[in-house]
Structure formats: C-alpha cells, structure tokens
Amino acid sequence: MFKSPSILVCSLLLSACSVNLQQAEDPSTKQLVREKNSFQVYVTKVELASGYTLVVSEGLLEPRSIGSVTVKLYRDLTLGDFVSAVSFSRDGTIFESVLVENATNKQQLSITTVTAGSGNYQTSQFICIQGEKMSLC
C-alpha cells in the first residue's frame, strides 16, 4: 500500500492531528485560557504587627502599564475574614510594597509604581491603617 515507512508515519501523524483539530471547543473557554496564559499580575501579602494581613494587588485583567491598585485588610486571611479595602489608580506597574510604620495600633504602607517606557519614573502612594480603618495618606 505505502512505498516507504516515512510516508506511513507521516500519514499516521496527519490523521492524528486532524482528529484533534476537528474537536469542537466552547469559544469562551478558549478566550479564558488565552487570557490566563498571557497576563501577569502583582499580588503580595503583608503581615501587620496587629495580627491583621494586607493583600496588595494590581487589578485583574488590566494592562500591566496602567490600571488600579487594591489593598485589602483581613483580620484572618486564612479564614477570609475581610475587614475593608482601598483602591486607587496607577500609572505603571507595582515595583514594591513595604511597611514604613508597623506599630500595633497604627501602620503605614508604601506602594511604589514604575511607569512603562524609557522614563521608568517612580511614584509612591501611602496607605494609612488605624485599627480597622484604611485610607490614602
């Protein structure tokens, strides 16, 4: 039937590929898979002296170069015991988030962003935490 083994192997490979290509997939699933594989996001947690935890993150599905920052305060992150949050706009990606004050009754978090492009300009936004209240400061 086939004159050479390489033609037989090629025929088998092509038929196997055609079977996979003909399988129908939900288009919305393809979109989600592509988005999950194509974006990165900054997210970190910061432990406070009060025992609370902060979660700092860039907005999901936003471009890395511009968007929002959200800081969430939890009594207990393991249990998901959420207290409050603050969000603000950002021009650039989050470079770092560091506690600059960490007393048991008052904390201050610095979030530094770096702009995209050749300038690499840095900007810092401070978040003040007193008890269970958070605000930009």
Side-chain angles (χ1 to χ4, degrees):
M1 182 168 157
F2 292 103
K3 294 182 180 179
S4 76
S6 60
I7 294 174
L8 175 62
V9 170
C10 288
S11 297
L12 291 173
L13 290 175
L14 288 175
S15 65
C17 290
S18 65
V19 171
N20 289 336
L21 292 175
Q22 292 175 1
Q23 291 178 350
E25 290 187 44
D26 180 10
S28 63
T29 304
K30 277 187 166 181
Q31 182 69 16
L32 287 174
V33 170
R34 190 178 40 167
E35 288 175 1
K36 285 181 183 177
N37 290 334
S38 66
F39 76 89
Q40 297 177 350
V41 65
Y42 178 95
V43 62
T44 190
K45 67 178 184 175
V46 179
E47 304 290 335
L48 302 178
S50 63
Y52 286 44
T53 303
L54 294 174
V55 175
V56 181
S57 64
E58 293 174 345
L60 294 176
L61 302 178
E62 295 176 348
R64 289 294 316 272
S65 59
I66 193 166
S68 64
V69 175
T70 302
V71 181
K72 298 176 187 175
L73 179 65
Y74 291 87
R75 283 184 203 93
D76 188 335
L77 182 59
T78 309
L79 299 175
D81 191 3
F82 174 76
V83 177
S84 65
V86 63
S87 290
F88 59 93
S89 63
R90 64 176 166 81
D91 181 8
T93 59
I94 298 177
F95 176 68
E96 68 178 354
S97 48
V98 179
L99 280 172
V100 291
E101 185 177 347
N102 193 16
T104 54
N105 60 346
K106 182 181 177 189
Q107 296 85 25
Q108 188 175 37
L109 178 74
S110 171
I111 301 171
T112 304
T113 57
V114 178
T115 59
S118 60
N120 287 326
Y121 298 105
Q122 294 186 8
T123 305
S124 292
Q125 174 65 59
F126 294 92
I127 309 295
C128 290
I129 304 109
Q130 280 196 298
E132 295 189 344
K133 297 186 187 265
M134 293 188 350
S135 63
L136 301 175
C137 50

